């Protein structure tokens, strides 16, 4: 490092090397390179993007950094707040975070702040230069954010609106003297750190699935054996469930560990007991440190273990017990206050055998915030932004409970139609690329609207294939099959499911599973005999079958249902499709009904 001169360092920066890259090459750390760079006077300047192509003088507040001599940024003396955006858009990080960033900008402008956005994705609303008072089109790295903070000297930085990408910068920014607005980096770390989070749950007497941490294959095997298979395994600090997997046996665990260590070598592997056949929930809320506003309780229609971004959800499910919903709200309030959250918080839970388990807590914006906000008519992100700069929920006149008189359904949109050979099996790794929302006064219509909006459709006649696991062979599933029979669908079923349906006097045609014989279910799909697939997997073998069935159904453009609750919803949707008593209202009409 002693041999590094001004000219060498300037040339390296002009050639595009980051401080972190140089630290790696020079076998030191990023902050040491930064300190040397500042000592030598090698610092970036910020240029204005020429939106007028040099024909006229550009006045847009749209800037980028470079290593030259003239700085074109005009720094005001007004109080200001920097918001970190979501960074590059990719599968696994929803564009929903951009909604929160933009609503945060709107709220802070109302509070009299100059708003500054740092983001590097040209496809977002937050990077439209007329949205914020000033936009820095820069990578979301510690180096770039610190450079901008030194120039602008903001009141603070908001890291909790852009998802996991900016959230990972919170601790380092705070250590470098930048004030983090809202929830502290320590509280964020408690929620992210399995051990600290587990200790908090024990202190609050909140149930949590057994879990463990491992940094080697031997440790992982020991933890999985003590917890019991199946287990949910993942690298820590993952984005969009990336590299998460449900593992059923030691051999699969060994294969995963070989790959997972390469995915995230700097962090340990997290292992959780996987709750099969459980109902999963999301709760979105805003906390000001004293009061908690419950935005909404969403029940996932898909099974537990499927990423929340991929699961269809219903807001305030009419079918769920009041006791479970109140338990979810109570846990959310306790966790928000214990974590000293100031702003948004998302709590993910699962219910099995009457016990509500907290799976994880995200003291930040979640991808369901836009959906909940629009469904209930309360701008959660705007309220959260105002809370972050010191306002209270009482001052803002916010209701702590959001009444809902209608049904709201969120349906994910998948890219499988563009990738014919892609595996359609959903799991803990996010695969959706968008979502739609449907509102109605009835559950069936909301489900049907959502499926149509997502680019699918529901058949009103033909054949339906049913294959369900032993745990789903119950009265609820029998009612689903009876409903389909009453709608004059011809029912095809695998051997075990066929016998179950016969016990309820439901006529059906038995078909072979994949590899049992011919014609099997895939043959029937290819021959056009089946228009709807209901397949509820449980266990490794069932999931293998689902891959083959799912691929065939995808090729035939058939809807695939993977849970009994979703199947029940589909039956109601088909009934609505038959009756066609459609209701069309604007969001404002729905919200006025709630307020009146």
């Amino acid at each position: 490092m002693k041999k590094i001169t001004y000219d060498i360092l300037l040339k390296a920066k002009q050639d595009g090397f980051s401080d972190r890259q140089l630290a790696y090459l020079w076998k030191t750390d990023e902050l040491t390179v930064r300190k040397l760079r500042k000592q030598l006077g090698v610092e970036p300047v910020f240029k204005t993007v020429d939106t007028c192509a040099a024909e006229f003088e550009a006045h847009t507040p749209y800037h980028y950094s470079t290593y030259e001599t003239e700085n074109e940024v005009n720094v005001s003396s007004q109080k200001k707040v920097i918001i970190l955006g979501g960074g590059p858009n990719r599968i696994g990080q929803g564009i929903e975070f951009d909604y929160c960033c933009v609503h945060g900008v709107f709220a802070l402008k109302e509070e009299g702040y100059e708003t500054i956005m740092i983001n590097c994705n040209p496809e977002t609303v937050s990077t439209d230069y007329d949205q914020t008072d000033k936009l820095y089109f820069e990578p979301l790295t510690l180096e770039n954010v610190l450079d901008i903070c030194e120039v602008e000297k903001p009141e603070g930085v908001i890291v909790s609106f852009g998802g996991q990408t900016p959230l990972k910068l919170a601790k380092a920014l705070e250590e470098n003297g930048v004030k983090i607005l809202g929830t502290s980096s320590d509280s964020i770390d408690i929620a992210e750190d399995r051990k600290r989070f587990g200790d908090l749950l024990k202190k609050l007497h909140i149930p949590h699935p057994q879990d463990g941490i491992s940094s080697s294959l031997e440790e992982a095997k020991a933890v999985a054996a003590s917890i019991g298979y199946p287990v949910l395994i993942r690298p820590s600090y993952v984005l969009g469930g990336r590299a998460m997997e449900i593992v059923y046996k030691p051999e699969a665990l060994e294969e995963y560990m070989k790959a997972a260590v390469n995915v995230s070598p700097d962090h340990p592997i997290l292992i959780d007991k996987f709750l099969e056949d459980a109902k999963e929930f999301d709760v979105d809320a805003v906390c000001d440190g004293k009061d908690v506003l419950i935005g909404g309780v969403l029940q996932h229609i898909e099974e537990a273990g499927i990423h929340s971004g991929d699961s269809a959800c219903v807001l305030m499910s009419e079918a769920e017990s009041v006791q479970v919903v109140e338990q979810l709200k109570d846990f959310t309030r306790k966790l928000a206050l214990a974590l000293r959250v100031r702003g948004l918080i998302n709590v993910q839970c699962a219910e099995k055998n009457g016990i509500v388990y907290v799976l994880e807590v995200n003291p930040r914006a979640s991808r369901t915030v836009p959906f909940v906000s629009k469904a209930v008519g309360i701008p959660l992100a705007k309220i959260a932004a105002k809370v972050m700069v010191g306002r209270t929920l009482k001052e803002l006149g916010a209701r702590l409970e959001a009444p809902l008189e209608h049904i709201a359904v969120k349906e994910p949109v998948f890219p499988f139609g563009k990738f014919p050979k892609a595996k359609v099996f959903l799991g803990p790794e996010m695969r959706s690329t968008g979502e739609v929302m449907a509102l109605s006064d009835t559950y069936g219509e909301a489900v049907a609207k959502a499926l149509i909006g997502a680019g699918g459709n529901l058949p009103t006649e033909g054949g339906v294939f049913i294959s369900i696991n032993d745990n789903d062979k119950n009265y609820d599933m029998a009612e689903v099959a009876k409903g389909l029979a009453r709608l004059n669908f011809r029912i095809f079923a695998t051997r075990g499911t066929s016998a179950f349906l016969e016990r309820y006097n439901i006529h059906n045609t038995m078909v072979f599973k994949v590899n049992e014989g011919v014609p099997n279910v895939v043959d029937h799909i290819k021959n056009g005999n089946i228009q709807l697939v209901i397949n509820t997997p449980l266990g490794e073998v069932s999931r293998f079958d689902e891959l083959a069935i799912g691929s065939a159904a995808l090729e035939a453009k058939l809807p695939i249902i993977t849970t009994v609750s979703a199947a029940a919803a589909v039956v109601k949707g088909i009934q609505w499709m038959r009756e066609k008593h459609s209701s069309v209202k604007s969001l404002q009409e729905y919200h006025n009904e709630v307020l009146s």
Side-chain angles (χ1 to χ4, degrees):
M1 292 290 291
K2 292 180 181 179
K3 296 180 181 179
I4 306 302
T5 64
Y6 172 88
D7 291 334
I8 292 173
L9 192 50
L10 178 63
K11 182 68 167 61
K13 298 305 289 184
Q14 288 179 336
D15 286 345
F17 285 90
S18 68
D19 287 354
R20 191 172 180 181
Q21 288 172 316
L22 293 174
Y24 173 78
L25 294 172
W26 295 337
K27 295 180 173 55
T28 184
D29 60 85
E30 181 179 357
L31 292 178
T32 299
V33 174
R34 181 179 185 82
K35 185 178 178 181
L36 174 65
R37 183 163 58 77
K38 295 179 77 64
Q39 286 175 349
L40 295 175
V42 180
E43 297 194 44
V45 296
F46 293 92
K47 298 292 187 180
T48 300
V49 173
D50 187 354
T51 53
C52 300
E55 188 173 355
F56 307 100
E57 184 180 358
H59 295 284
T60 53
Y62 186 0
H63 307 291
Y64 65 95
S65 66
T66 185
Y67 281 82
E68 293 182 6
T69 54
E70 184 186 4
N71 198 335
E72 297 177 357
V73 169
N74 294 316
V75 180
S76 74
S77 59
Q78 187 181 352
K79 62 178 183 177
K80 61 196 74 167
V81 170
I82 290 177
I83 298 178
L84 303 188
N89 190 33
R90 52 200 175 242
I91 295 176
Q93 180 150 2
I95 203 69
E96 299 92 337
F97 294 124
D98 201 61
Y99 167 99
C100 296
C101 291
V102 174
H103 274 240
V105 168
F106 295 159
L108 294 172
K109 283 184 176 181
E110 291 174 5
E111 293 297 304
Y113 287 87
E114 179 182 335
T115 57
I116 300 171
M117 176 67 61
I118 304 176
N119 204 1
C120 56
N121 183 356
E123 295 299 320
T124 60
V125 179
S126 67
T127 49
D128 289 347
Y129 62 81
D130 56 353
Q131 291 291 334
T132 59
D133 294 311
K134 199 174 287 182
L135 166 66
Y136 286 90
F137 198 83
E138 292 290 305
L140 286 162
T141 65
L142 179 63
E143 175 184 348
N144 293 97
V145 175
L146 287 177
D147 286 339
I148 295 167
C149 286
E150 287 176 0
V151 171
E152 293 289 350
K153 296 178 174 55
E155 301 281 312
V157 174
I158 292 177
V159 300
S160 56
F161 280 167
Q164 196 71 27
T165 300
L167 203 70
K168 288 189 289 187
L169 298 175
K171 189 174 182 180
L173 287 172
E174 214 164 44
E175 289 172 348
N176 282 274
V178 176
K179 183 180 179 182
I180 301 299
L181 296 178
T183 308
S184 69
S185 63
D186 184 60
S187 292
I188 292 170
D189 188 65
I190 291 173
E192 295 279 4
D193 187 286
R194 289 285 103 178
K195 186 178 186 310
R196 297 185 73 189
F197 183 55
D199 291 342
L200 176 64
L201 291 176
K202 288 175 185 175
K203 181 181 177 182
L204 297 174
H205 304 290
I206 295 176
H208 180 265
Q210 285 182 278
D211 64 357
I213 301 175
S214 106
S215 54
S216 68
L217 175 59
E218 290 70 26
E219 285 182 6
K221 284 183 175 179
V223 170
S226 64
I227 291 174
Y229 290 92
V231 294
L232 182 66
I233 185 167
R234 57 177 172 157
S236 58
Y237 290 87
V238 295
L239 177 67
R242 184 172 56 87
M244 290 175 68
E245 196 170 309
I246 299 167
V247 173
Y248 288 86
K249 55 188 179 182
E251 293 80 7
L253 176 64
E254 188 170 343
E255 287 299 316
Y256 175 87
M257 287 295 291
K258 289 177 182 177
V261 172
N262 292 328
V263 172
S264 183
D266 298 329
H267 296 290
I269 297 298
L270 310 179
I271 303 173
D272 296 86
K273 176 67 178 175
F274 176 58
L275 300 174
E276 280 204 304
D277 198 34
K279 295 177 182 177
E280 196 162 346
F281 300 85
D282 266 71
V283 185
D284 283 311
V286 179
C287 179
D288 64 5
K290 292 182 179 180
D291 294 312
V292 180
L293 183 164
I294 302 293
V297 178
L298 297 94
Q299 180 177 342
H300 294 207
I301 294 177
E302 265 72 30
E303 62 177 357
I306 292 175
H307 193 279
S308 60
D310 287 353
S311 179
C313 294
V314 56
L315 188 59
M316 294 297 189
S317 170
E318 59 182 13
E320 196 46 61
S321 72
V322 174
Q323 183 180 355
V324 169
V325 171
E326 289 306 314
Q327 182 91 87
L328 292 164
K329 292 178 181 178
D330 181 55
F331 286 170
T332 300
R333 293 187 189 99
K334 286 180 178 177
L335 285 163
L337 295 173
L339 288 168
R340 302 184 299 281
V341 169
R342 292 194 64 88
L344 287 163
I345 180 172
N346 168 261
V347 181
Q348 296 181 20
C349 306
E351 181 268 325
K352 184 172 183 177
N353 300 327
I355 301 174
V356 176
Y357 299 86
V358 168
L359 303 178
E360 64 178 82
V361 174
N362 299 303
R364 57 164 171 81
S366 73
R367 55 178 45 84
T368 50
V369 165
F371 170 73
V372 173
S373 298
K374 292 180 180 181
V376 302
I378 297 176
L380 296 177
K382 288 186 71 174
I383 293 171
K386 294 186 178 187
V387 164
M388 288 179 190
V389 293
R391 299 292 296 277
T392 66
L393 292 172
K394 286 183 179 178
E395 285 176 351
L396 296 170
R399 291 170 294 167
L400 301 185
E401 289 276 350
L404 191 69
E405 301 296 330
H406 50 272
I407 304 290
V409 172
K410 183 202 85 170
E411 183 70 27
V413 177
F414 298 98
F416 301 143
K418 299 183 184 297
F419 305 101
K421 294 185 180 180
K423 294 179 181 179
V424 298
F425 167 59
L426 300 180
E429 185 170 349
M430 183 175 167
R431 307 186 72 193
S432 61
T433 52
E435 63 187 29
V436 299
M437 180 177 82
L439 302 179
S440 174
D441 294 326
T442 65
Y443 192 32
E445 182 181 8
V447 169
K449 282 181 175 179
L451 287 168
I452 293 169
N457 210 335
L458 290 177
T460 54
E461 59 183 7
V464 55
F465 167 72
I466 303 177
S467 178
I468 54 177
N469 66 68
D470 290 340
N471 290 354
D472 286 337
K473 290 171 182 173
N474 52 33
Y475 175 79
D476 291 339
M477 187 61 227
E479 287 300 301
V480 169
K482 286 179 181 178
L484 290 166
R486 284 194 293 269
L487 292 168
N488 297 319
F489 278 87
R490 184 183 177 189
I491 297 176
F492 297 85
T494 51
R495 192 183 309 277
T497 302
S498 177
F500 159 74
L501 295 175
E502 290 291 346
R503 289 200 297 272
Y504 283 89
N505 298 316
I506 301 169
H507 178 70
N508 67 89
T509 301
M510 196 278 287
V511 297
F512 291 121
K513 287 184 179 181
V514 179
N515 297 327
E516 276 188 351
V518 291
N520 57 39
V521 55
V522 172
D523 296 322
H524 281 286
I525 291 173
K526 290 180 177 179
N527 291 335
N529 299 327
I530 294 170
Q531 282 67 49
L532 174 67
V533 173
I534 299 175
N535 183 26
T536 68
L538 186 67
E540 190 174 27
V541 175
S542 296
R543 294 183 191 281
F544 171 78
D545 287 338
E546 190 191 30
L547 292 176
I549 295 168
S551 296
L554 174 65
E555 191 173 340
K557 295 182 171 57
L558 304 184
I560 308 167
I561 312 302
T562 61
T563 64
V564 175
S565 55
V570 163
V571 171
K572 291 183 179 181
I574 292 173
Q575 288 172 340
W576 173 79
M577 293 278 289
R578 290 275 188 93
E579 296 166 0
K580 286 289 184 181
H581 297 315
S582 179
S583 63
V584 178
K585 297 179 187 177
S586 66
L587 276 175
Q588 290 80 1
E589 287 177 291
Y590 278 110
H591 299 155
N592 287 337
E593 287 176 3
V594 173
L595 296 172
S596 61

